[in-house]
């Protein structure tokens, strides 16, 4: 059964824009992306939307629906009253290219700053072995589709553009945690996570977890454990004592024994 849906869609580019009102015919069982596609086909052919799979797996169609970061293809019209006006705007944390399309290159630049996995030599038979329980610890993090909704909703960059150079954001804290929990990875990223990535700026409000379309518990399973690992390295008295002994030995004879 079809009905006329009222929509407000942001139109504009990097120089500015405004919300435009539309009424479009929709059908039962459709999602917001369907309504926007029909709008493109029947009323405004130049409406810019980024999308690809329409199955919630590519992360392309991220936007804000009634002010909440969501995937356009996974937000059903049945979630709203038929008489309700649905407002669709681009992700606020990133610069607008045009209409609902934003420039998310910030995230790709942050990805370049993250050291890749460093694995030890293979076993004598040419293989590497891991316990299944260790593999499962970070398996959840690999569900990330890089929609960057967690980045968009994080107030550290959403409300403070000047924080971006010093803050990687929840998507990359997830990656730091995934690599740090890898049973074979030998690279210690804790100092980098605390320093260049700005892990300490996160105050664990869990807003990133709330908007994740894959249901990843970003805060509880990645950010908080990573913070604990950073604290262990920085404030553990045994680690502190070991570093002092190492520095003292180096000062004495130029060699580091610890």
């Amino acid at each position: 059964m079809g009905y006329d849906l009222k929509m407000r869609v942001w139109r504009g580019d990097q120089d500015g824009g405004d919300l435009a009102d539309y009424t479009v015919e929709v059908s039962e069982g459709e999602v917001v992306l369907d309504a926007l596609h029909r709008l493109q086909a029947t009323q405004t052919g130049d409406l810019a939307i980024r999308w690809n799979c329409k199955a919630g797996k590519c992360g392309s169609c991220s936007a804000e629906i009634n002010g909440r970061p969501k995937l356009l293809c996974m937000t059903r019209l049945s979630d709203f009253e038929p008489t309700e006006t649905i407002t669709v705007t681009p992700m606020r944390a990133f610069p607008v290219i045009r209409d609902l399309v934003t420039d998310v290159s910030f995230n790709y630049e942050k990805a370049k700053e993250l050291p890749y996995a460093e694995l030890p030599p293979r076993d004598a038979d040419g293989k590497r072995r891991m316990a299944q329980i260790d593999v499962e610890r970070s398996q959840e993090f690999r569900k990330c589709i890089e929609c960057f909704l967690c980045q968009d909703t994080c107030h550290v960059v959403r409300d403070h553009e000047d924080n971006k150079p010093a803050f990687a954001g929840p998507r990359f804290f997830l990656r730091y945690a995934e690599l740090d929990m890898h049973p074979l990875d030998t690279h210690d990223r804790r100092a980098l996570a605390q320093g260049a990535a700005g892990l300490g700026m996160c105050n664990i409000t869990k807003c990133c977890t709330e908007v994740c379309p894959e249901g990843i518990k970003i805060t509880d399973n990645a950010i908080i454990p990573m913070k604990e690992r950073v604290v262990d390295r920085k404030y553990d008295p045994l680690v502190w004592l070991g570093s002092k002994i190492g520095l003292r030995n180096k000062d004495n004879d130029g060699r580091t024994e610890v």
Side-chain angles (χ1 to χ4, degrees), residues 144-204:
C144 175
I145 59 175
E146 294 203 323
C147 61
F148 303 127
L149 292 177
C150 61
Q151 301 283 84
D152 179 49
T153 198
C154 180
H155 66 91
V156 177
V157 292
R158 183 179 178 89
D159 299 325
H160 306 281
E161 181 72 19
D162 55 337
N163 283 339
K164 283 186 176 180
F167 187 75
R171 188 279 169 267
F172 297 103
F173 296 150
L174 191 75
R175 180 66 174 152
Y176 273 95
E178 177 189 344
L179 290 170
D180 204 62
M181 294 179 187
H182 193 293
L184 295 182
D185 184 41
T186 60
H187 191 102
D188 188 346
R189 298 172 185 79
R190 290 175 293 180
L192 186 63
Q194 176 68 14
L199 181 64
M201 297 171 71
C202 169
N203 57 10
I204 55 176

Side-chain angles (χ1 to χ4, degrees), residues 32 59 61-75 80 87-94 102 147-155 157-159 170 206-214:
V32 173
C61 64
S62 301
E64 297 192 9
I65 302 173
N66 289 356
R68 186 176 177 84
K70 287 178 173 288
L71 292 178
L72 298 173
C73 72
M74 298 301 288
T75 306
F80 308 92
T87 301
V88 185
T89 55
M91 289 192 287
R92 200 178 93 188
F94 306 114
T102 52
C147 61
F148 303 127
L149 292 177
C150 61
Q151 301 283 84
D152 179 49
T153 198
C154 180
H155 66 91
V157 292
R158 183 179 178 89
D159 299 325
K206 297 190 179 184
C207 53
C208 52
T209 299
E210 292 175 2
V211 301
C212 178
E214 286 294 319

Side-chain angles (χ1 to χ4, degrees), residues 6-7 9 17 50 55 57 73 140 145 147 152 200 203 210 218 220 226 238 241 246 250-252 258:
K6 292 181 179 180
M7 301 188 76
V9 182
R50 181 184 283 131
K57 292 302 176 184
C73 72
E140 174 192 16
I145 59 175
C147 61
D152 179 49
N203 57 10
E210 292 175 2
I218 302 171
D220 290 341
M226 199 63 204
L238 293 179
L241 181 60
K250 187 173 182 179
D251 290 339
N252 290 339
V258 177

Side-chain angles (χ1 to χ4, degrees), residues 33 37 40 49-54 58 60-61:
L33 185 58
H37 280 166
Q40 273 184 325
I49 312 170
R50 181 184 283 131
W51 71 284
N52 189 14
C53 74
K54 201 175 178 288
C58 72
S60 299
C61 64

Side-chain angles (χ1 to χ4, degrees), residues 79-105:
D79 293 341
F80 308 92
E81 294 295 327
T83 57
E84 185 177 351
T85 299
I86 297 178
T87 301
V88 185
T89 55
M91 289 192 287
R92 200 178 93 188
F94 306 114
V96 172
I97 297 176
R98 189 173 139 210
D99 298 339
L100 301 179
V101 179
T102 52
D103 179 1
V104 295
S105 59

